[in-house]
C-alpha cells in the first residue's frame, strides 16, 4: 500500500508525464477520462493533505500545447473553452440561466461541436497573416505555414465588405477516411497509432515539415468571428457572411427560440452525425446576439453565453479475461486485452487495444476486472476505465507488461521516447523473421501468392529464413511437404518467378526498412533511381527529398550500414529482382534541372504543388523548403509567402512563374 505522500508523488509524476505526452508530443498514452480521474484523485488528496503542497504540482497548472519550435503569439482575444454538459436537464439549466439574466427575448444558435483542435485565423486586409493554436488560451503557437496547406482555409477572403482586421476561430480536423488511412500506414510501419482524429489533427499541426502536413489532408470549420468591425450583431448572420467571404462554415447551424427546438436539434444530430465525414462530439449552444453575449460576459474560463452539450460516448462494460503481448515484424511489442465478448455500437468486441505499459499502469488493471470499452473515434476499441467497485468479490492478478519477448523469450528493451518495448533479437525471433517475410510477399510489395501458414511451414522446415530464401526454393523442396500437390508447388514457384519483374519502388518497400512505407518508397525510388544510389545517399540528400524527415533518413542510413541487410540485398539482386527504375520511369527523367536548388512558394493554377515537386525531381533538380544563398530560383505561384519574398529580394534570387518553369523543362535545351 502506498502512503498518501507516495501516492501524491506518484500521481504528480504520472500527470506531468501525460501532460507532456498530450500537449508537447501530441501522443497521449492514456484516455482523457483516465487522465481526468488521476487529476481528480490528486486534487482530492492535495486538499486532504495540505502539508504536501507543491507549487509545481500538475494540479496548479493548466496544460498548454506550446511547443518550443514554434513562435508563440499572444491572442488579441483570449481563446476560452466551453463548460461541458451531459444531459437535457443541464441544457435546460443553461437556457433558464440565460433567460433570467437577460430578461428579454433571445435566440440560441445550435452548432455541431467539432472534435479537432482549435485554431485562430487572423486576416488583415483580407489576407491570412497568421494561424495560431489555442495554447494556454492566452498564447498559442504560430502554425501559419502548416495551416496554409489546409485547402478549406482561404488564403484571401472574398468580397468588398471584409473588415481590415478579422479573426476567424474554428476547428482543424482530420477526416475519418484520412485518419484511418494514416493509421493503417502507421500500423504497417509499426509506428504508434493516433488514438483518434483529434490527436492526429493536433499532432499534424505541430509537424515541423509543412509538406507532410499538406499530405495529411486536414479540413477545417469556422465557428466564431472576432474583430472590432463585425458585419452584424447576430452570431448566426456573421457566420453566413463568413461563408460568403469564403470561410468554411458548417450547414448544420440552427437558430432556436425554445428549449423544445434545441432538444429536437440535439436528438437529430445525436444519430445523424455518424454519417458525417468528420468527428463531432457534441453540440455547442450560443446566445445569438453579440450585445447579449457581452452582457452575459465570461467567467475566468468559460463564456456565460455558451455551453457544450456532449454526446454520450458509446461504452460497454465487460470482463477482462487476459492480456496478451504480440510482437511484430520490427520487434515492437504491443499489449492486447482479451475480453468477454460484448456488443458495442453494432459489433461484437472481444479484444481491445491497451497501447503500452503506461496505459496499463494508469488503469491499474487486474485479471477479471470489469472494464469499460469505448469505440469513440477509434478503429480499435480501447479500455477507458475499470469499475473498481466490482472487485468486492476479490481481485485477480495485477497485469504487468511482459519483460520477455512473447515469442523468442529475449529480454525486451524499452525505447524511452516512444514508450514502446522492442524485442532486440531481430535475427533470431521467429515472429519477426516470419513477419518480415510476410511483409515482403504482400500484394503491395512483391505480390507473391503465399499465406502466413505456408511461410510458417517453410520456416519450420528450415527452407526459408529470409526473403531471399524464397528465390532458392526448388520444386523438390515443396513437393515433399505434407499435403502439397504438384500444382500448388508449381503455382508458388511461378508466383515467385513473376515477382522478379516487380518494379524497384515496390522492392524497396518490400525490404521492410523501418518507416519506409509505400509512399516513402516511391519518393525514394524517384529521387535515387537505383539501390546503389540510395545506399550511398547522405543524410542531407535524403532529407532534401519531399516527405523524408530526419527519422526516415536515419533509418535508411542505418539499414544500409547493416551488413546483414546488405547481404540480403545482394542475394536478392543475384536472383534478378529489380533494383533500379525501369526504362519508362527513367525516360521521364532528364538532367534539365541538374544541380539546381529550387524553392516552391505560393499557389498555382496549372499544376498542384506536389506535381511541381515531382517535376523538379524528375528533371534532376532538388526541391528545398527555404530560401538561402544556394537557391537557384523560386518557382512562385500566387500569394508567395512574404518572408520568402523578402529573403529572395535580399539575396537576389530569381523568381519564375509556372509557365516559364514548364517551358524550361519541356524545351529541348538544358535549363
Ligand atoms: S465556440 C467562446 N463552437 O470546443 C466560445 N467551439 O471546449 C469558443 N469547438 O476550444 C468556442 N466546435 O475548439 C465553439 N461550434 C463550435 C465548436 C467549438 C468545436 C471546440 C473549440 C473549443 C472547444 C471548447
Amino acid at each position: 500500500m502506498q502512503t498518501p505522500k507516495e501516492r501524491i508523488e506518484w500521481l504528480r509524476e504520472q500527470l506531468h508525464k501525460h501532460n507532456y505526452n498530450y500537449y508537447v508530443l501530441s501522443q497521449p498514452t492514456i484516455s482523457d477520462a483516465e487522465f481526468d480521474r488521476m487529476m481528480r484523485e490528486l486534487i482530492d488528496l492535495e486538499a486532504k493533505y495540505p502539508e504536501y503542497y507543491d507549487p509545481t504540482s500538475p494540479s496548479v497548472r493548466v496544460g498548454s500545447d506550446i511547443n518550443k519550435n514554434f513562435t508563440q503569439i499572444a491572442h488579441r482575444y483570449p481563446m476560452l473553452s466551453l463548460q461541458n454538459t451531459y444531459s437535457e436537464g443541464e441544457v435546460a439549466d443553461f437556457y433558464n440561466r440565460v433567460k433570467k439574466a437577460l430578461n428579454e427575448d433571445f435566440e440560441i444558435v445550435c452548432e455541431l461541436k467539432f472534435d479537432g483542435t482549435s485554431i485562430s485565423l487572423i486576416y488583415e486586409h483580407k489576407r491570412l497573416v497568421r494561424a495560431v493554436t489555442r495554447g494556454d488560451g492566452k498564447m498559442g503557437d504560430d502554425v501559419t505555414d502548416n495551416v496554409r496547406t489546409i485547402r478549406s482555409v482561404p488564403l484571401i477572403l472574398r468580397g468588398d465588405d471584409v473588415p481590415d482586421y478579422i479573426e476567424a476561430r474554428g476547428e482543424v480536423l482530420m477526416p475519418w477516411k484520412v485518419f484511418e488511412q494514416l493509421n493503417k500506414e502507421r500500423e504497417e510501419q509499426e509506428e504508434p497509432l493516433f488514438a483518434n482524429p483529434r490527436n492526429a489533427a493536433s499532432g499534424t499541426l505541430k509537424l515541423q515539415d509543412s509538406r507532410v502536413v499538406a499530405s495529411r489532408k486536414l479540413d477545417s470549420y469556422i465557428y466564431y468571428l472576432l474583430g472590432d468591425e463585425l458585419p452584424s450583431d447576430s452570431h448566426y448572420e456573421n457566420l453566413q457572411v463568413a461563408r460568403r467571404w469564403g470561410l468554411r462554415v458548417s450547414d448544420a447551424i440552427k437558430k432556436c427560440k425554445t428549449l423544445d427546438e434545441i432538444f429536437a436539434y440535439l436528438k437529430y444530430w445525436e444519430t445523424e452525425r455518424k454519417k458525417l465525414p468528420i468527428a463531432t462530439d457534441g453540440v455547442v449552444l450560443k446566445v445569438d446576439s453579440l450585445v447579449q453575449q457581452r452582457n452575459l460576459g465570461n467567467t475566468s474560463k468559460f463564456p456565460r453565453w455558451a455551453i457544450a452539450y456532449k454526446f454520450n460516448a458509446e461504452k460497454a462494460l465487460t470482463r477482462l479475461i487476459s492480456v496478451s503481448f504480440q510482437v511484430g515484424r520490427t520487434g515492437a511489442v504491443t499489449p492486447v486485452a482479451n475480453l468477454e465478448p460484448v456488443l458495442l455500437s453494432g459489433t461484437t468486441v472481444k479484444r481491445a487495444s491497451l497501447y503500452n505499459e503506461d496505459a496499463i499502469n494508469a488503469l491499474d488493471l487486474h485479471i477479471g476486472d470489469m472494464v469499460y470499452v469505448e469505440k469513440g473515434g477509434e478503429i480499435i476499441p480501447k479500455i477507458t476505465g475499470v469499475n473498481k467497485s466490482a472487485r468486492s468479490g476479490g481481485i485477480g492478478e495485477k497485469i504487468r507488461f511482459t519483460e520477455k519477448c512473447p515469442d523468442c523469450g529475449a529480454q525486451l528493451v524499452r525505447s524511452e521516447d516512444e514508450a514502446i518495448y522492442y524485442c532486440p533479437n531481430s535475427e533470431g525471433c521467429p515472429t519477426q523473421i516470419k513477419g518480415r517475410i510476410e511483409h515482403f510477399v504482400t500484394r503491395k510489395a512483391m505480390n507473391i501468392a503465399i499465406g502466413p501458414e505456408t511461410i510458417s511451414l517453410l520456416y519450420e522446415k528450415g527452407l526459408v529464413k529470409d526473403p531471399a530464401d524464397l528465390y532458392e526454393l526448388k520444386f523438390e523442396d515443396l513437393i515433399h511437404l505434407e499435403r502439397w500437390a504438384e500444382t500448388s508447388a508449381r503455382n508458388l514457384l511461378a508466383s515467385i518467378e513473376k515477382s522478379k519483374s516487380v518494379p524497384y519502388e515496390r522492392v524497396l518497400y518490400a525490404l521492410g526498412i523501418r518507416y519506409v512505407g509505400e509512399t516513402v518508397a516511391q519518393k525514394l525510388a524517384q529521387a535515387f533511381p537505383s539501390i546503389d544510389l540510395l545506399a550511398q545517399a547522405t543524410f542531407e540528400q535524403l532529407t532534401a527529398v519531399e516527405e523524408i524527415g530526419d527519422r526516415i533518413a536515419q533509418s535508411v542510413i542505418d539499414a544500409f550500414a547493416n551488413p546483414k541487410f546488405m547481404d540480403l540485398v545482394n542475394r536478392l539482386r543475384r536472383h534478378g529482382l529489380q533494383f533500379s527504375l525501369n526504362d519508362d520511369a527513367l525516360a521521364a527523367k532528364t538532367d534539365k534541372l541538374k544541380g539546381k536548388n529550387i524553392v516552391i512558394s505560393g499557389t498555382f493554377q496549372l499544376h498542384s504543388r506536389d506535381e511541381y515537386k515531382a517535376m523538379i525531381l524528375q528533371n534532376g533538380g532538388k526541391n528545398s523548403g527555404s530560401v538561402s544563398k544556394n537557391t537557384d530560383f523560386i518557382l512562385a505561384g500566387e500569394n508567395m509567402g512574404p518572408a520568402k519574398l523578402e529573403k529572395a529580394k535580399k539575396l537576389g534570387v530569381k523568381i519564375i512563374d509556372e509557365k516559364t518553369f514548364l517551358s524550361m523543362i519541356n524545351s529541348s535545351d538544358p535549363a
Side-chain angles (χ1 to χ4, degrees):
M1 237 345 241
Q2 285 171 318
T3 63
K5 181 162 180 274
E6 282 166 355
R7 183 74 185 162
I8 288 175
E9 276 163 3
W10 183 82
L11 285 166
R12 283 177 182 162
E13 191 191 302
Q14 291 292 312
L15 288 164
H16 273 308
K17 191 170 68 188
H18 292 305
N19 250 325
Y20 176 78
N21 287 345
Y22 189 97
Y23 286 106
V24 181
L25 302 183
S26 300
Q27 186 73 255
T29 55
I30 59 168
S31 69
D32 294 0
E34 192 54 26
F35 181 92
D36 289 347
R37 195 202 56 71
M38 282 164 69
M39 183 65 91
R40 234 173 299 126
E41 191 191 342
L42 176 62
I43 292 170
D44 289 347
L45 280 174
E46 284 177 342
K48 209 162 148 194
Y49 301 98
E51 60 269 39
Y52 304 130
Y53 172 79
D54 179 349
T56 66
S57 166
S59 62
V60 300
R61 181 185 71 162
V62 277
S64 148
D65 62 356
I66 287 174
N67 178 317
K68 297 208 175 39
N69 296 319
F70 289 96
T71 315
Q72 288 166 35
I73 292 195
H75 291 295
R76 184 187 286 206
Y77 309 94
M79 283 183 87
L80 302 176
S81 59
L82 295 168
Q83 172 99 60
N84 284 330
T85 63
Y86 298 89
S87 65
E88 288 194 352
E90 286 173 290
V91 170
D93 289 347
F94 164 75
Y95 184 89
N96 292 324
R97 254 194 333 267
V98 169
K99 191 170 168 183
K100 196 165 160 216
L102 289 175
N103 199 20
E104 61 184 2
D105 279 353
F106 63 95
E107 287 181 298
I108 297 286
V109 181
C110 294
E111 300 167 20
L112 288 175
K113 186 170 189 297
F114 300 104
D115 196 10
T117 180
S118 35
I119 195 79
S120 185
L121 305 175
I122 298 160
Y123 288 87
E124 283 175 13
H125 305 286
K126 298 195 194 179
R127 283 165 191 268
L128 176 70
V129 291
R130 260 185 313 285
V132 188
T133 64
R134 195 176 103 87
D136 61 4
K138 295 190 187 78
M139 304 270 284
D141 284 337
D142 181 344
V143 289
T144 316
D145 286 341
N146 286 347
V147 167
R148 283 210 171 100
T149 70
I150 304 174
R151 302 216 167 206
S152 53
V153 171
L155 299 174
I156 303 185
L157 297 178
R158 294 133 48 115
D160 305 326
D161 55 345
V162 184
D164 288 347
Y165 181 95
I166 196 90
E167 260 187 68
R169 297 270 167 91
E171 201 83 351
V172 170
L173 300 144
M174 182 175 284
W176 285 116
K177 274 217 173 96
V178 181
F179 166 72
E180 279 154 20
Q181 180 61 31
L182 177 65
N183 259 355
K184 213 172 105 205
E185 284 166 20
R186 290 174 77 89
E187 196 167 12
E188 277 169 14
Q189 301 315 314
E190 297 195 15
E191 291 179 58
L193 301 189
F194 283 115
N196 49 47
R198 173 176 13 98
N199 294 340
S202 67
T204 301
L205 269 195
K206 295 295 180 65
L207 290 174
Q208 297 296 330
D209 187 344
S210 54
R211 295 173 300 183
V212 183
V213 180
S215 74
R216 297 249 179 113
K217 299 192 185 68
L218 295 173
D219 204 347
S220 70
Y221 279 101
I222 293 305
Y223 51 65
Y224 200 61
L225 285 189
L226 281 159
D228 296 336
E229 313 162 75
L230 294 180
S232 161
D233 174 57
S234 154
H235 165 65
Y236 184 87
E237 285 311 315
N238 283 336
L239 288 185
Q240 306 308 317
V241 175
R243 186 186 285 130
R244 204 160 38 68
W245 289 342
L247 289 158
R248 161 85 134 251
V249 173
S250 161
D251 289 323
I253 332 179
K254 192 168 186 291
K255 257 199 294 189
C256 297
K257 282 210 169 73
T258 66
L259 259 178
D260 283 343
E261 283 175 274
I262 295 174
F263 292 157
Y265 183 94
L266 301 183
K267 189 149 183 244
Y268 178 79
W269 283 106
E270 177 105 51
T271 48
E272 206 60 19
R273 69 182 181 112
K274 292 175 188 156
K275 299 180 189 155
L276 296 174
I278 39 94
T280 55
D281 62 342
V283 168
V284 180
L285 302 127
K286 301 173 187 167
V287 170
D288 185 44
S289 155
L290 303 192
V291 169
Q292 290 179 338
Q293 289 184 4
R294 219 165 300 132
N295 288 339
L296 288 163
N298 306 320
T299 70
S300 64
K301 271 187 86 201
F302 307 124
R304 289 198 190 86
W305 46 267
I307 51 155
Y309 164 83
K310 300 269 274 200
F311 296 128
N312 286 328
E314 288 180 89
K315 248 191 214 182
L317 192 61
T318 187
R319 191 174 299 282
L320 176 69
I321 304 170
S322 63
V323 172
S324 33
F325 295 89
Q326 295 175 342
V327 55
R329 81 178 151 88
T330 62
V333 175
T334 44
V336 177
N338 301 306
L339 306 166
E340 260 173 27
V342 64
L343 203 65
L344 179 62
S345 2
T347 52
T348 305
V349 173
K350 291 185 213 135
R351 286 148 65 83
S353 150
L354 278 169
Y355 295 105
N356 56 27
E357 184 181 36
D358 293 348
I360 295 180
N361 289 345
L363 285 164
D364 184 29
L365 269 189
H366 290 71
I367 298 285
D369 272 347
M370 290 304 288
V371 294
Y372 291 101
V373 275
E374 264 181 44
K375 259 210 288 211
E378 296 69 30
I379 349 180
I380 317 150
K382 62 176 182 182
I383 296 186
T384 55
V386 177
N387 180 2
K388 296 210 169 126
S389 58
R391 279 182 186 166
S392 52
I395 183 165
E397 192 190 330
K398 185 170 165 61
I399 309 284
R400 287 182 207 289
F401 205 96
T402 178
E403 287 175 8
K404 301 253 156 79
C405 172
D407 189 30
C408 70
Q411 185 75 32
L412 300 181
V413 287
R414 182 172 154 132
S415 102
E416 280 311 322
D417 50 338
E418 292 172 301
I420 286 178
Y421 278 96
Y422 284 96
C423 165
N425 182 20
S426 60
E427 300 306 321
C429 177
T431 310
Q432 287 187 63
I433 296 171
K434 287 186 273 183
R436 287 196 291 267
I437 303 170
E438 281 167 23
H439 169 77
F440 185 83
V441 302
T442 48
R443 201 172 41 78
K444 288 178 173 173
M446 304 307 285
N447 194 20
I448 297 175
I450 183 172
E453 276 161 33
T454 308
I455 291 175
S456 239
L457 179 71
L458 295 177
Y459 172 75
E460 272 145 33
K461 297 283 173 202
L463 290 167
V464 175
K465 296 173 299 320
D466 65 32
D469 287 342
L470 288 169
Y471 297 89
E472 278 150 37
L473 280 175
K474 296 193 186 57
F475 182 72
E476 299 75 62
D477 294 333
L478 298 172
I479 198 69
H480 295 306
L481 294 173
E482 229 174 282
R483 280 183 279 138
W484 269 65
E486 219 181 292
T487 15
S488 32
R490 289 204 196 287
N491 286 346
L492 175 57
L493 291 175
S495 175
I496 291 172
E497 191 57 31
K498 198 168 159 221
S499 76
K500 291 182 183 170
S501 59
V502 159
Y504 167 49
E505 63 272 20
R506 277 171 49 195
V507 177
L508 200 50
Y509 168 63
L511 291 176
I513 301 172
R514 183 174 287 169
Y515 309 130
V516 178
E518 232 189 314
T519 345
V520 169
Q522 282 164 8
K523 299 260 143 93
L524 287 174
Q526 276 299 327
F528 306 95
S530 77
I531 195 106
D532 296 322
L533 290 172
L534 181 61
Q536 288 156 19
T538 62
F539 186 81
E540 287 70 30
Q541 287 168 333
L542 287 163
T543 48
V545 179
E546 182 192 15
E547 278 189 40
I548 311 297
D550 294 2
R551 198 183 52 159
I552 301 176
Q554 196 53 54
S555 168
V556 171
I557 287 179
D558 292 347
F560 285 101
N562 179 348
K564 293 223 167 74
F565 179 81
M566 282 313 291
D567 187 49
L568 175 71
V569 169
N570 288 329
R571 281 173 63 214
L572 291 171
R573 198 201 304 248
R574 263 182 263 127
H575 286 294
L577 273 66
Q578 304 299 312
F579 278 107
S580 55
L581 281 186
N582 66 21
D583 293 345
D584 285 350
L586 277 173
K589 288 188 78 78
T590 76
D591 277 351
K592 285 183 188 157
L593 302 175
K594 191 167 178 193
K596 296 262 185 277
N597 245 305
I598 303 160
V599 171
I600 304 183
S601 183
T603 49
F604 297 93
Q605 304 289 333
L606 305 171
H607 291 277
S608 71
R609 230 170 208 274
D610 281 347
E611 283 165 353
Y612 280 122
K613 279 178 195 160
M615 287 181 217
I616 291 175
L617 289 179
Q618 288 252 311
N619 289 282
K622 212 177 104 183
N623 170 226
S624 52
S626 57
V627 182
S628 74
K629 61 179 192 328
N630 298 325
T631 308
D632 288 287
F633 63 84
I634 301 176
L635 167 56
E638 277 175 48
N639 312 317
M640 181 177 162
K644 278 190 184 137
L645 189 62
E646 200 175 304
K647 201 151 181 204
K649 277 189 189 150
K650 214 169 103 190
L651 297 170
V653 175
K654 200 159 70 177
I655 298 176
I656 68 163
D657 63 13
E658 33 184 348
K659 283 202 180 126
T660 316
F661 175 79
L662 290 170
S663 61
M664 206 158 149
I665 60 169
N666 291 323
S667 77
S668 48
D669 321 315

PDB file of all heavy atoms in Angstrom, residues 403-412 423:
ATOM      1  N   GLU A 403       8.308  -8.803 -19.595  1.00  0.00           N
ATOM      2  CA  GLU A 403       9.704  -8.375 -19.725  1.00  0.00           C
ATOM      3  C   GLU A 403      10.405  -9.141 -20.835  1.00  0.00           C
ATOM      4  O   GLU A 403      11.478  -8.786 -21.276  1.00  0.00           O
ATOM      5  CB  GLU A 403      10.444  -8.617 -18.408  1.00  0.00           C
ATOM      6  CG  GLU A 403      10.027  -7.619 -17.355  1.00  0.00           C
ATOM      7  CD  GLU A 403      10.649  -7.906 -16.010  1.00  0.00           C
ATOM      8  OE1 GLU A 403      11.524  -8.796 -15.921  1.00  0.00           O
ATOM      9  OE2 GLU A 403      10.244  -7.246 -15.050  1.00  0.00           O
ATOM     10  N   LYS A 404       9.766 -10.262 -21.217  1.00  0.00           N
ATOM     11  CA  LYS A 404      10.406 -11.135 -22.213  1.00  0.00           C
ATOM     12  C   LYS A 404       9.595 -11.120 -23.506  1.00  0.00           C
ATOM     13  O   LYS A 404       8.362 -10.973 -23.478  1.00  0.00           O
ATOM     14  CB  LYS A 404      10.423 -12.568 -21.675  1.00  0.00           C
ATOM     15  CG  LYS A 404      11.177 -12.701 -20.359  1.00  0.00           C
ATOM     16  CD  LYS A 404      12.497 -13.405 -20.596  1.00  0.00           C
ATOM     17  CE  LYS A 404      13.519 -13.073 -19.540  1.00  0.00           C
ATOM     18  NZ  LYS A 404      13.336 -13.805 -18.303  1.00  0.00           N
ATOM     19  N   CYS A 405      10.255 -11.326 -24.598  1.00  0.00           N
ATOM     20  CA  CYS A 405       9.558 -11.405 -25.878  1.00  0.00           C
ATOM     21  C   CYS A 405       8.580 -12.581 -25.832  1.00  0.00           C
ATOM     22  O   CYS A 405       8.971 -13.701 -25.482  1.00  0.00           O
ATOM     23  CB  CYS A 405      10.558 -11.599 -27.010  1.00  0.00           C
ATOM     24  SG  CYS A 405       9.738 -11.936 -28.585  1.00  0.00           S
ATOM     25  N   PRO A 406       7.305 -12.334 -26.164  1.00  0.00           N
ATOM     26  CA  PRO A 406       6.309 -13.404 -26.087  1.00  0.00           C
ATOM     27  C   PRO A 406       6.638 -14.553 -27.037  1.00  0.00           C
ATOM     28  O   PRO A 406       6.103 -15.647 -26.900  1.00  0.00           O
ATOM     29  CB  PRO A 406       5.014 -12.712 -26.512  1.00  0.00           C
ATOM     30  CG  PRO A 406       5.427 -11.461 -27.208  1.00  0.00           C
ATOM     31  CD  PRO A 406       6.740 -11.069 -26.602  1.00  0.00           C
ATOM     32  N   ASP A 407       7.506 -14.313 -27.982  1.00  0.00           N
ATOM     33  CA  ASP A 407       7.815 -15.367 -28.938  1.00  0.00           C
ATOM     34  C   ASP A 407       9.148 -16.043 -28.648  1.00  0.00           C
ATOM     35  O   ASP A 407       9.201 -17.247 -28.414  1.00  0.00           O
ATOM     36  CB  ASP A 407       7.821 -14.777 -30.354  1.00  0.00           C
ATOM     37  CG  ASP A 407       7.928 -15.871 -31.394  1.00  0.00           C
ATOM     38  OD1 ASP A 407       7.451 -16.983 -31.121  1.00  0.00           O
ATOM     39  OD2 ASP A 407       8.509 -15.618 -32.455  1.00  0.00           O
ATOM     40  N   CYS A 408      10.236 -15.257 -28.620  1.00  0.00           N
ATOM     41  CA  CYS A 408      11.543 -15.910 -28.506  1.00  0.00           C
ATOM     42  C   CYS A 408      12.099 -15.842 -27.087  1.00  0.00           C
ATOM     43  O   CYS A 408      13.135 -16.433 -26.801  1.00  0.00           O
ATOM     44  CB  CYS A 408      12.529 -15.278 -29.481  1.00  0.00           C
ATOM     45  SG  CYS A 408      12.996 -13.608 -29.038  1.00  0.00           S
ATOM     46  N   GLY A 409      11.432 -15.100 -26.205  1.00  0.00           N
ATOM     47  CA  GLY A 409      11.867 -15.069 -24.811  1.00  0.00           C
ATOM     48  C   GLY A 409      13.011 -14.108 -24.539  1.00  0.00           C
ATOM     49  O   GLY A 409      13.473 -13.993 -23.402  1.00  0.00           O
ATOM     50  N   ALA A 410      13.457 -13.367 -25.550  1.00  0.00           N
ATOM     51  CA  ALA A 410      14.559 -12.412 -25.324  1.00  0.00           C
ATOM     52  C   ALA A 410      14.108 -11.308 -24.368  1.00  0.00           C
ATOM     53  O   ALA A 410      12.922 -10.959 -24.337  1.00  0.00           O
ATOM     54  CB  ALA A 410      14.994 -11.804 -26.651  1.00  0.00           C
ATOM     55  N   GLN A 411      15.052 -10.784 -23.600  1.00  0.00           N
ATOM     56  CA  GLN A 411      14.755  -9.666 -22.695  1.00  0.00           C
ATOM     57  C   GLN A 411      14.411  -8.440 -23.545  1.00  0.00           C
ATOM     58  O   GLN A 411      15.187  -8.057 -24.421  1.00  0.00           O
ATOM     59  CB  GLN A 411      16.012  -9.403 -21.843  1.00  0.00           C
ATOM     60  CG  GLN A 411      15.855  -8.360 -20.776  1.00  0.00           C
ATOM     61  CD  GLN A 411      15.046  -8.876 -19.581  1.00  0.00           C
ATOM     62  OE1 GLN A 411      15.106 -10.064 -19.263  1.00  0.00           O
ATOM     63  NE2 GLN A 411      14.292  -8.005 -18.966  1.00  0.00           N
ATOM     64  N   LEU A 412      13.246  -7.829 -23.286  1.00  0.00           N
ATOM     65  CA  LEU A 412      12.833  -6.681 -24.110  1.00  0.00           C
ATOM     66  C   LEU A 412      13.609  -5.427 -23.727  1.00  0.00           C
ATOM     67  O   LEU A 412      14.077  -5.314 -22.595  1.00  0.00           O
ATOM     68  CB  LEU A 412      11.334  -6.419 -23.931  1.00  0.00           C
ATOM     69  CG  LEU A 412      10.399  -7.554 -24.313  1.00  0.00           C
ATOM     70  CD1 LEU A 412       8.947  -7.130 -24.108  1.00  0.00           C
ATOM     71  CD2 LEU A 412      10.615  -7.973 -25.766  1.00  0.00           C
ATOM     72  N   CYS A 423      11.658  -6.216 -28.973  1.00  0.00           N
ATOM     73  CA  CYS A 423      12.455  -7.429 -28.854  1.00  0.00           C
ATOM     74  C   CYS A 423      13.711  -7.184 -29.684  1.00  0.00           C
ATOM     75  O   CYS A 423      13.624  -6.934 -30.882  1.00  0.00           O
ATOM     76  CB  CYS A 423      11.676  -8.626 -29.396  1.00  0.00           C
ATOM     77  SG  CYS A 423      12.744 -10.048 -29.670  1.00  0.00           S
TER      78      CYS A 423
END
